[in-house]
Amino acid sequence: MTKIALKFKEAVLQSTPILICGQNQLAYDLFKVFVKQTKHSLPLMVLTTTGGRVLSFLHNGVEDETLSGRFILPEERKKICPELTEFKCSEEFLLLSEPNNPAAAEIQSLMSGALASIATNGQQNAKILKSLDVVGNAISVYDEEARLLFANRRFYDDFHIRVKEKPIGMKITDITEEFGLNFRSFEKTSSGRFKMFDVLAEGKEALDWEIRLEFTKSGEPSRLVSNDMYPIKDENGRVKGLVEITRSRQQDVKTARKIVGLSADYTFDDIIGSSRKMQQQIHVAKEYAKSSFSVLITGESGVGKELFAQSIHNYSPRRKGPFIAINCANFPENLIESELFGYVAGAFTGASKNGNIGKFELANHGTLFLDEIGELPYHFQSKLLRVLETMTVTRIGSNQSLPVDVRIVAATNRDLRQMVKDGFFRDDLYFRLGVLNVDIPPLRNRKEDLLLLAEALLAQGKDPASSGAKIERSFQKSSGSPCLAWKCA
């Protein structure tokens, strides 16, 4: 074997072979026919796609089938084997050969004519397939062995596959391994892994099949997607493949965040208070914001615990992530679990047919603010503790544990230490939440902040007399502790 042939073979053998199908199979069959017709010698002849898929490797007229279906990027091939001459057969296919090879020129001419004729007859189908690139959802087609036959542009974008041709002909299991994809289903499948295997085996469509798509190689953030899978059957009812439509649920998540959570609008600059006690707590909170540990904010009602929570989020490395707030006192005992962890379709009577995303998932890569944590039912505290220890959640009705990346900020106006002593709050959960503590003093303990508060109220256009009277009354009540954190318009 010539030196150039050896270099090419060694480079191509580094890739994984896949099944040749569709247009690639047609070009391969034509190539074999025209090779038999030529009367010229065949020292080295390689048929590839313009994207780099090797279809046939001939050396001295003998085909090396171990290279068929393997892949090499064109730029890599040109770097390793610059001596190879390209003979363009069409927009999709190339012949590679050593210079001055009359057989390559002859076969190129024959293949160009044949492929052009086929292309003319197939233009309508090509237009239909090309039009699917404008669809906003990923569309893919698989054969009965779950090998990818076609995918539109959105499929490659969503799965972060840069070389569009590369996965064609690969099984879904090989695609996930090759490109570092991990599918986490919320519900159990009959096949044990991919739902599409159930569809291929049973011939029944699967709608709204929700998964979390994780990118183990690229490090991209995980995404929630929902799949519709439709079996393709022949005239005898045998399943020959399936069509899958994948929709991103990120927009649904964003909408849900706006509805059920609070945007973190406040920063430490919005907190008004020049007193030593308040400035001390702001300084402490800023230092805590830089860490990833849980923060427990304590203080009487109205001192601004939520404003501190939002400020901590906006001062932290997670500021670009979501800020989700939930008041633990606002949900009945039987609903708090579904609100925090979510549930799958049909998990219980009255459950949504599409399931529900829990607050932990909504807060992924951001901050979850658990307000009034002291009101959390005792029997549920162990479940919350488990999530905080493992940083995984399991939706109600599912057996799939999903990892979450969430920073917890909790707040309460109750004495959790006393609740622990009285048996109303778990000590292990208390220590898990209170790794870092911020205690906000009431207004009656920081008289010097009264004037600043009055000025802030006046700046907002409030009536001076009524505002001053309100401040005075609030301060005179020993139990009162009006909030001294305002966002001034």
Side-chain angles (χ1 to χ4, degrees):
M1 188 174 286
T2 61
K3 185 176 181 181
I4 185 174
L6 282 172
K7 286 196 298 183
F8 183 87
K9 182 175 180 178
E10 289 175 358
V12 173
L13 283 174
Q14 302 301 314
S15 65
T16 303
I18 67 168
L19 179 73
I20 297 175
C21 57
Q23 288 290 101
N24 291 349
Q25 181 66 50
L26 177 61
Y28 172 76
D29 292 338
L30 289 172
F31 176 68
K32 287 175 63 177
V33 171
F34 296 140
V35 163
K36 289 181 180 179
Q37 294 179 1
T38 186
K39 297 178 180 179
H40 298 284
S41 61
L42 301 166
L44 178 62
M45 189 90 66
V46 184
L47 177 66
T48 77
T49 66
T50 52
R53 180 70 63 194
V54 177
L55 305 181
S56 181
F57 179 93
L58 287 178
H59 188 263
N60 292 329
V62 179
E63 183 175 18
D64 188 341
E65 295 183 354
T66 62
L67 271 65
S68 180
R70 295 183 185 271
F71 187 86
I72 182 171
L73 286 170
E75 55 266 31
E76 183 182 352
R77 183 254 302 166
K78 291 176 183 178
K79 184 178 180 181
I80 296 172
C81 304
E83 309 94 331
L84 287 176
T85 300
E86 294 183 357
F87 295 84
K88 189 174 182 180
C89 301
S90 70
E91 292 297 324
E92 292 84 22
F93 302 103
L94 292 174
L95 274 181
L96 306 176
S97 181
E98 294 171 316
N100 303 317
N101 185 346
E106 178 188 354
I107 294 174
Q108 175 203 27
S109 177
L110 293 170
M111 288 199 66
S112 296
L115 290 171
S117 176
I118 293 170
T120 300
N121 295 329
Q123 280 182 352
Q124 192 62 35
N125 290 338
K127 286 182 180 179
I128 293 174
L129 292 177
K130 187 68 175 175
S131 67
L132 295 179
D133 284 341
V134 304
V135 178
N137 296 323
I139 301 175
S140 50
V141 182
Y142 299 83
D143 68 9
E144 64 268 32
E145 299 296 327
R147 286 184 286 250
L148 181 66
L149 302 179
F150 167 81
N152 68 343
R153 181 177 299 171
R154 186 57 183 264
F155 174 91
Y156 296 106
D157 292 342
D158 286 354
F159 288 80
H160 300 295
I161 298 175
R162 290 181 296 174
V163 183
K164 294 184 177 180
E165 182 185 332
K166 195 170 183 181
I168 298 297
M170 295 176 66
K171 288 187 176 182
I172 185 63
T173 50
D174 296 327
I175 292 174
T176 56
E177 183 176 349
E178 175 77 17
F179 297 99
L181 305 173
N182 188 26
F183 299 160
R184 288 184 174 271
S185 299
F186 294 95
E187 301 178 50
K188 188 177 181 180
T189 63
S190 301
S191 61
R193 189 173 182 188
F194 296 107
K195 184 62 178 178
M196 71 166 55
F197 291 140
D198 294 354
V199 176
L200 290 170
E202 301 167 6
K204 297 179 181 179
E205 66 183 27
L207 304 180
D208 292 320
W209 186 262
E210 188 181 19
I211 64 169
R212 182 186 290 279
L213 178 59
E214 299 173 344
F215 304 94
T216 58
K217 286 187 178 180
S218 68
E220 294 285 334
S222 61
R223 300 173 60 240
L224 285 173
V225 298
S226 184
N227 298 313
D228 293 337
M229 289 164 272
Y230 303 91
I232 302 171
K233 300 180 181 180
D234 62 16
E235 60 275 9
N236 297 317
R238 292 189 293 264
V239 178
K240 306 302 291 183
L242 67 83
V243 176
E244 182 176 60
I245 301 175
T246 302
R247 306 182 306 279
S248 173
R249 294 204 65 183
Q250 293 305 106
Q251 190 58 47
D252 295 340
V253 171
K254 290 178 181 178
T255 302
R257 284 171 178 164
K258 290 180 180 179
I259 295 173
V260 303
L262 297 176
S263 59
D265 298 323
Y266 295 105
T267 69
F268 286 113
D269 292 336
D270 298 313
I271 300 178
I272 300 172
S274 62
S275 64
R276 182 172 175 273
K277 291 181 179 179
M278 181 60 84
Q279 287 299 312
Q280 209 171 39
Q281 293 307 309
I282 292 175
H283 174 75
V284 169
K286 284 183 175 180
E287 290 299 312
Y288 290 170
K290 300 173 186 177
S291 77
S292 59
F293 296 111
S294 300
V295 178
L296 178 62
I297 303 174
T298 55
E300 299 178 17
S301 296
V303 295
K305 296 187 289 296
E306 186 174 305
L307 274 64
F308 264 79
Q310 293 188 29
S311 300
I312 289 172
H313 171 78
N314 282 327
Y315 201 78
S316 75
R318 297 173 178 265
R319 64 180 68 90
K320 293 183 179 180
F323 177 85
I324 302 298
I326 180 172
N327 190 314
C328 300
N330 286 350
F331 294 94
E333 291 187 13
N334 59 335
L335 291 182
I336 189 69
E337 183 174 359
S338 62
E339 285 295 324
L340 282 175
F341 304 154
Y343 57 84
V344 299
F348 50 84
T349 303
S352 169
K353 66 176 183 178
N354 295 324
N356 187 59
I357 303 170
K359 301 301 186 293
F360 267 94
E361 288 184 69
L362 289 173
N364 199 34
H365 304 301
T367 301
L368 177 61
F369 176 47
L370 301 176
D371 198 9
E372 303 292 351
I373 191 67
E375 308 302 323
L376 203 64
Y378 188 84
H379 69 85
F380 179 74
Q381 293 175 19
S382 60
K383 296 180 180 180
L384 176 60
L385 176 64
R386 176 66 177 168
V387 171
L388 298 183
E389 289 175 340
T390 63
M391 274 298 155
T392 61
V393 295
T394 303
R395 291 188 183 182
I396 298 175
S398 172
N399 60 358
Q400 177 68 61
S401 295
L402 297 174
V404 289
D405 175 22
V406 175
R407 202 268 181 90
I408 300 295
V409 177
T412 183
N413 61 358
R414 303 185 65 177
D415 186 346
L416 292 188
R417 290 186 180 181
Q418 187 60 47
M419 291 182 67
V420 169
K421 293 178 181 179
D422 295 338
F424 295 114
F425 204 87
R426 293 180 62 100
D427 56 348
D428 43 8
L429 178 59
Y430 170 70
F431 289 113
R432 174 69 64 171
L433 292 171
V435 177
L436 305 174
N437 289 274
V438 176
D439 184 52
I440 306 175
L443 179 58
R444 64 177 178 274
N445 294 341
R446 40 190 172 93
K447 301 177 183 179
E448 54 268 53
D449 289 336
L450 278 171
L451 183 59
L452 286 175
L453 177 58
E455 290 174 347
L457 292 173
L458 290 172
Q460 294 182 17
K462 293 186 177 292
D463 178 67
S466 62
S467 297
K470 181 178 179 181
I471 295 171
E472 184 177 0
R473 287 197 303 271
S474 298
F475 181 71
Q476 288 176 348
K477 294 174 66 175
S478 60
S479 60
S481 52
C483 173
L484 199 60
W486 296 81
K487 185 175 181 180
C488 300

